[in-house]
């Protein structure tokens, strides 16, 4: 163990001397490793940050959450002109599925309605994102109530004029006043505030709940009617935890096809989307980005490897006399081999560390320019960058190290004189 520590110490000193004595040459040789590590870890950090942001935005919804609507999340074999003519899902279909899907933990009906202005006395918030939902929406999406409560089944069914508001809306309308029990004006009607949501911050997928209000869907059904193509209705379902996912989706589609009178062999006039499919698509995209980043950075690492090999060959030539003296004093081939291998690894790690430093600087700059989107250099990526650098150094230094360890001590001393 002591011999390895001694070899490592000497190799580190030689690597530092190489940097000091031939700064430009060493810098240019290590530049490939620096660029390669910067490219690899930069791409991985960006992809990880994107996945973290997506995960955070979707964390309130379970992957098994199913959405039935007339649009599809991804590509479909059905021609565009055809699925654009599909009918919207209806409230009657929602009630039918709620009664006839025993494996569903929660089922709710929602409508995407236009933004509205909400007022309280002289204060108002413009362009508020109104979420018209049923009471079981609370069981499907994780809604964090800070004060008050969400509306219940009775209020949802009767279309009671109650509202749950986001923290940003509450601040704009009420300031430091507790909004619970206050009446706000929306759609020309007076709604009673029964709940206040906890602040959650921004989201990648549209506005966050901070700038949203939730009202019973039967209120908007009375206002906009059932056949308004500008109002986009959906049926959201969450299966029970122990239910087979594929079977649940199959039963759901069969029941709705039966309700609509769709004959065997005919195309379903609706789409059953699941968040798992969306997250799988995101995983495929990020996986492709990772591969592209690895291919691009691989060329830089290849150049960097040749650069380190060049440094080591020059180092062997410059220290031929010293190698001969070490061998004449009893140094074994293994000692010389490890000395140059460690030196190559240390040089590569220095180049990799520079690449990681630039990635860290880039994440700080990018985070400042993108506002609420945080670019993060994870500890795992730091370890990966260091490991790849060490591996490049090991591979690049093998041939020079072997050639140094095989030098004849007499010839080495004579050549170096």
């Amino acid at each position: 163990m002591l011999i390895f520590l001694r070899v490592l110490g000497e190799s580190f000193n030689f690597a530092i001397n190489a940097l000091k004595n031939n700064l430009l040459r060493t810098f240019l040789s290590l530049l490939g490793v620096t660029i390669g590590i910067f490219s690899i870890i930069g791409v991985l950090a960006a992809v990880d940050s994107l996945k973290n942001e997506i995960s955070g935005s979707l964390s309130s919804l379970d992957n098994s959450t199913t959405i039935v609507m007339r649009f599809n999340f991804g590509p479909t074999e059905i021609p565009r002109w055809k699925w654009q003519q599909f009918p919207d899902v209806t409230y009657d279909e929602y009630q039918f599925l709620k009664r006839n899907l025993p494996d569903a933990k929660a089922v709710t009906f929602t409508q995407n309605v236009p933004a509205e202005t909400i007022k309280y006395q002289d204060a108002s918030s413009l362009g508020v994102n109104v979420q018209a939902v049923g009471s079981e929406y609370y069981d499907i999406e994780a809604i964090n109530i800070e004060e008050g409560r969400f509306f219940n089944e009775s209020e949802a069914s009767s279309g009671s004029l109650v509202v749950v508001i986001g923290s940003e809306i509450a601040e704009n309308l009420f300031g430091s006043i507790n909004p619970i029990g206050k009446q706000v004006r929306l759609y020309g009607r007076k709604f009673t505030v029964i709940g206040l949501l906890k602040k959650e911050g921004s989201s990648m997928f549209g506005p966050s709940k901070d700038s949203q209000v939730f009202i019973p869907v039967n209120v908007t059904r009375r206002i906009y009617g059932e056949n308004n193509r500008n109002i986009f209705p959906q049926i959201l379902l969450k299966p029970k935890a122990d239910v087979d996912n594929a079977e649940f989706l199959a039963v759901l589609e069969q029941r709705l096809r039966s309700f609509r009178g769709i004959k065997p062999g005919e195309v379903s006039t609706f789409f059953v989307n699941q968040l798992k499919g969306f997250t799988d698509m995101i995983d495929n995209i990020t996986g492709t980005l990772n591969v592209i980043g690895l291919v691009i950075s691989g060329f830089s690492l290849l150049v960097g490897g040749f650069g380190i090999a060049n440094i080591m060959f020059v180092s062997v030539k410059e220290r031929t006399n010293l190698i001969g003296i070490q061998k004449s004093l009893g140094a074994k081939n293994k000692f010389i081999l490890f000395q140059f291998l460690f030196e190559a690894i240390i040089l590569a790690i220095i180049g990799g560390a520079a690449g990681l430093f630039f990635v860290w600087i880039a994440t700080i700059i990018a985070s400042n320019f993108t506002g609420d989107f945080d670019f993060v250099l994870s500890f795992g990526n730091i370890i990966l960058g260091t490991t790849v650098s060490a591996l490049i150094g090991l591979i690049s230094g093998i041939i020079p190290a072997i050639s140094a360890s095989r030098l004849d001590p007499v010839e080495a001393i004579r050549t170096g004189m």
Side-chain angles (χ1 to χ4, degrees):
M1 185 64 183
L2 291 175
I3 189 73
F4 280 105
L5 291 176
R6 178 186 166 194
V7 172
L8 186 61
E10 290 184 2
S11 301
F12 182 78
N13 290 331
F14 281 127
I16 297 301
N17 287 332
L19 283 171
K20 289 180 179 178
N21 298 333
N22 303 283
L23 187 60
L24 181 60
R25 183 189 72 190
T26 308
F27 169 75
L28 293 175
S29 299
L30 295 182
L31 188 59
V33 176
T34 300
I35 295 174
I37 294 300
F38 176 82
S39 302
I40 290 178
I41 305 304
V43 169
L44 291 178
V47 170
D48 286 350
S49 300
L50 177 63
K51 292 177 74 172
N52 289 339
E53 184 69 17
I54 292 172
S55 298
S57 298
L58 297 178
S59 60
S60 61
L61 287 170
D62 191 283
N63 272 354
S64 64
T65 299
T66 305
I67 304 174
V68 182
M69 54 187 179
R70 62 183 169 92
F71 294 119
N72 197 43
F73 275 177
T76 175
E77 296 179 356
I78 302 174
R80 181 184 178 90
W81 65 267
K82 191 168 186 176
W83 59 255
Q84 283 185 326
Q85 297 177 5
F86 286 175
D88 280 319
V89 293
T90 66
Y91 193 78
D92 288 340
E93 290 171 339
Y94 146 70
Q95 290 182 314
F96 170 79
L97 291 176
K98 187 175 180 179
R99 291 191 305 267
N100 293 277
L101 284 177
D103 288 335
K105 180 180 179 180
V107 185
T108 192
F109 187 76
T110 71
Q111 285 183 327
N112 287 352
V113 296
E116 279 290 325
T117 298
I118 183 170
K119 297 180 179 181
Y120 174 71
Q121 295 180 356
D122 295 332
S124 63
S125 285
L126 306 177
V128 173
N129 186 2
V130 179
Q131 296 291 310
V133 301
S135 61
E136 290 190 32
Y137 188 82
Y138 184 82
D139 300 315
I140 295 176
E141 181 166 359
I143 296 178
N144 297 314
I145 302 288
E146 182 171 329
E147 292 189 47
R149 60 179 177 84
F150 204 72
F151 41 84
N152 56 38
E153 177 67 26
S154 174
E155 291 167 329
S157 298
S158 62
S160 298
L161 298 181
V162 292
V163 61
V164 178
I165 63 176
S167 60
E168 186 178 315
I169 304 299
E171 185 176 344
N172 290 342
L173 296 181
F174 302 100
S176 58
I177 301 173
N178 188 334
I180 304 301
K182 302 292 190 298
Q183 288 191 326
V184 296
R185 184 165 289 276
L186 181 66
Y187 295 113
R189 298 164 170 83
K190 289 184 178 181
F191 284 74
T192 301
V193 179
I194 61 170
L196 171 64
L197 302 178
K198 287 184 179 179
K199 187 175 182 63
E200 69 171 21
S202 63
S203 169
M204 284 187 64
F205 302 97
S208 75
K209 295 185 185 67
D210 297 343
S211 58
Q212 293 179 352
V213 299
F214 291 84
I215 63 174
V217 69
N218 281 341
V219 174
T220 57
R221 287 182 63 228
R222 287 199 301 263
I223 295 172
Y224 292 102
E226 294 286 350
N227 300 312
N228 191 329
R229 294 290 281 187
N230 295 320
I231 305 304
F232 182 40
Q234 304 168 65
I235 300 173
L236 273 65
L237 309 96
K238 184 175 182 179
K240 294 177 181 177
D242 57 346
V243 171
D244 180 80
N245 188 62
E247 183 179 347
F248 176 79
L249 296 179
V251 171
L252 166 60
E253 183 167 4
Q254 185 273 327
R255 296 283 165 84
L256 190 52
R257 283 176 60 89
S258 175
F259 186 84
R260 288 193 172 187
I262 301 173
K263 298 177 181 179
E266 293 182 346
V267 175
S268 296
T269 56
F270 56 88
F271 290 104
V272 178
N273 298 284
Q274 202 164 49
L275 287 184
K276 186 179 184 303
F278 179 72
T279 55
D280 287 345
M281 181 180 68
I282 295 296
D283 287 341
N284 289 334
I285 294 173
T286 54
T288 302
L289 291 175
N290 280 336
V291 171
I292 294 173
L294 290 173
V295 170
I296 294 173
S297 56
F299 290 105
S300 298
L301 289 175
L302 184 64
V303 173
F306 281 118
I308 291 175
N310 177 64
I311 293 176
M312 298 314 300
F313 276 120
V314 172
S315 182
V316 170
K317 185 175 182 180
E318 290 177 345
R319 285 157 39 198
T320 301
N321 181 263
L322 179 60
I323 295 170
I325 294 174
Q326 286 179 316
K327 284 198 163 192
S328 66
L329 294 176
K332 296 181 179 180
N333 289 352
K334 182 171 65 174
F335 181 90
I336 304 298
L337 176 71
F338 282 126
Q339 188 179 66
F340 280 90
L341 273 182
F342 286 160
E343 184 176 342
I345 292 172
I346 291 168
L347 284 171
I349 289 176
I350 292 173
L356 290 172
F357 173 75
F358 288 127
V359 172
W360 177 65
I361 294 296
T363 58
I364 294 175
I365 295 174
S367 295
N368 289 333
F369 273 99
T370 53
D372 293 319
F373 186 92
D374 289 328
F375 284 89
V376 179
L377 177 59
S378 68
F379 180 74
N381 282 335
I382 293 174
I383 296 298
L384 177 62
T386 305
T387 303
V388 171
S389 301
L391 186 61
I392 293 297
L394 178 64
I395 295 173
S396 303
I398 285 178
I399 296 178
I402 291 175
S403 66
S405 67
R406 291 179 176 176
L407 287 175
D408 180 83
V410 177
E411 289 296 326
I413 293 174
R414 182 183 297 131
T415 304
M417 294 179 64

